[in-house]
Amino acid sequence: MTAVPSLPPTGRAKLTDVARLAGVSVGTASKALNGSGSMRPETRQRVLDAVEELDFRPNQQAQSLHTGRSWTVGLMTTDGIGRFSTPVLLGAEDALGAGKISVLLCDTRGDAIREQHHLSNLMGRRVDGIIVTGRRTDPRPPLKGVEPIPTVYALSPSTDPDDISVVSDDRSGAQLAIEHLLATGRTRIAHITGPAHHAAARDRAQHTLELLKQSAMELATGRVHFGEWSEAWGRRAAQAVLRTAPETDAFFCGNDQIARGVADALRENGLDVPGQVAVVGYDNWDVMALASRPPLTTIDTDLSEVGRRAALLLLDAIGSKVAPGLHRVPCRLVVREST
């Protein structure tokens, strides 16, 4: 980024200063902040970075009168605990906050009546857009009666293909895990995951089966072990795998809680991890992955990037037409001592 331009005597940056620092025209800088027009995400991000670096503070009242916008965005979540939605919301808020857009957080707690109540309030406040997220990757019905307001679904995609949705790419996550295990010489891989009615468990299992088939391999026990998203299930399932297929040399688990339970069961059976058996988790939840013995190699779903991408797409959708569809964010492999 270029050197910070000299500021006016008042010390307050102007839009021209932002444009100069971002290397764009004043009109482009204005569109990036207004969320109007279409431009490359990298261009909009340069403007937002310049806004933050210069501490640019637009006159919101004047802008609202001029543009008819409220400069607020609603963030609606069904995840009261926040285990998965919080990183998404933080990523979105970082991208929106850089553009001086206020955020209204609404927790529906998975209740349809509460969701409609929050939606009515957001529409009454004339928000410029809405980001919807949840605690699972299962597709969800689109919001009702929100057609006039640009809406983006993050983590939990909309069932309507005409909506804009951003999700973590579970296929890339499974591929990273399987390729890593194969690269470390593992050939008898078991897969333990959560409930079969959860999209995350089904999708990761299906990708695992397909990837092993491409390598002319199959699961050590010949099947996927569906169960619960818990350490207790990981321990029980690992014991069952060891009885059925004692030569198993790797476990790819549907989440980090399961993987931690598997690691415990292996240790209780006198098996060295990773010397004899490797373990890979999923989600990169520090509370689980780092506390495991040994710390877990895992797949990071990059939820903050899901939120950031959703926010940038929402900004593009405000005031302009954005092509609908599903946008996938690649996962990352985090290697630790369990492999």
Side-chain angles (χ1 to χ4, degrees):
M1 186 169 286
T2 58
V4 177
S6 58
L7 301 181
T10 60
R12 182 169 181 172
K14 298 180 179 179
L15 185 60
T16 53
D17 302 316
V18 172
R20 189 180 306 120
L21 181 58
V24 300
S25 68
V26 173
T28 298
S30 176
K31 289 178 180 179
L33 294 177
N34 293 342
S36 60
S38 58
M39 65 187 67
R40 294 175 62 85
E42 296 81 1
T43 302
R44 189 185 300 280
Q45 189 62 51
R46 286 208 313 274
V47 174
L48 297 180
D49 290 341
V51 165
E52 184 174 7
E53 186 168 340
L54 295 174
D55 193 25
F56 174 66
R57 300 180 182 180
N59 186 323
Q60 301 284 32
Q61 186 175 21
Q63 285 182 312
S64 295
L65 290 173
H66 176 67
T67 64
R69 289 184 52 189
S70 65
W71 298 94
T72 56
V73 164
L75 293 181
M76 187 175 293
T77 177
T78 63
D79 183 9
I81 298 175
R83 163 66 190 93
F84 296 102
S85 65
T86 295
V88 174
L89 297 177
L90 291 176
E93 191 174 30
D94 285 346
L96 296 169
K100 306 304 178 184
I101 296 176
S102 299
V103 174
L104 299 175
L105 177 61
C106 303
D107 178 13
T108 70
R109 304 178 194 175
D111 181 80
I113 296 177
R114 187 182 293 270
E115 179 174 279
Q116 285 302 119
H117 170 72
H118 283 308
L119 183 57
S120 296
N121 284 339
L122 291 175
M123 296 181 73
R125 290 173 177 265
R126 302 180 65 84
V127 295
D128 298 321
I130 299 174
I131 295 176
V132 183
T133 188
R135 61 179 177 270
R136 285 164 54 175
T137 63
D138 297 78
R140 56 150 293 154
L143 296 178
K144 296 180 180 178
V146 75
E147 288 77 12
I149 303 176
T151 303
V152 176
Y153 298 82
L155 183 63
S156 302
S158 170
T159 54
D160 188 343
D162 290 332
D163 286 331
I164 304 170
S165 299
V166 184
V167 300
S168 290
D169 187 356
D170 272 338
R171 180 173 181 81
S172 76
Q175 184 170 357
L176 288 169
I178 295 301
E179 288 181 349
H180 175 66
L181 289 172
L182 295 179
T184 59
R186 314 296 171 162
T187 59
R188 294 181 58 80
I189 302 170
H191 186 52
I192 301 174
T193 192
H197 63 275
H198 283 202
R202 291 196 312 273
D203 292 345
R204 292 165 193 175
Q206 183 61 38
H207 296 322
T208 298
L209 290 169
E210 292 173 357
L211 291 162
L212 287 175
K213 185 176 181 180
Q214 290 174 12
S215 299
M217 298 174 63
E218 60 180 22
L219 291 171
T221 59
R223 68 181 183 90
V224 175
H225 296 264
F226 291 103
E228 305 165 358
W229 300 115
S230 69
E231 292 178 67
W233 165 240
R235 288 192 293 271
R236 294 197 307 273
Q239 295 286 6
V241 169
L242 293 176
R243 287 195 300 269
T244 305
E247 300 302 315
T248 297
D249 60 9
F251 286 81
F252 172 36
C253 304
N255 77 350
D256 292 332
Q257 289 170 279
I258 294 172
R260 184 173 172 180
V262 167
D264 287 346
L266 293 172
R267 188 173 60 254
E268 290 166 3
N269 280 271
L271 295 170
D272 178 67
V273 178
Q276 294 171 276
V277 186
V279 180
V280 175
Y282 211 103
D283 293 331
N284 196 27
W285 185 13
D286 285 355
V287 172
M288 287 290 155
L290 297 180
S292 177
R293 296 167 52 196
L296 294 172
T297 291
T298 185
I299 301 299
D300 191 317
T301 52
D302 209 355
L303 296 180
S304 62
E305 178 62 18
V306 170
R308 191 189 75 87
R309 189 83 60 87
L312 294 178
L313 285 168
L314 183 65
L315 291 175
D316 285 337
I318 295 173
S320 64
K321 183 69 174 178
V322 175
L326 191 64
H327 301 257
R328 300 182 188 277
V329 173
C331 295
R332 296 183 291 110
L333 175 68
V334 180
V335 179
R336 297 193 181 96
E337 289 89 330
S338 68
T339 58

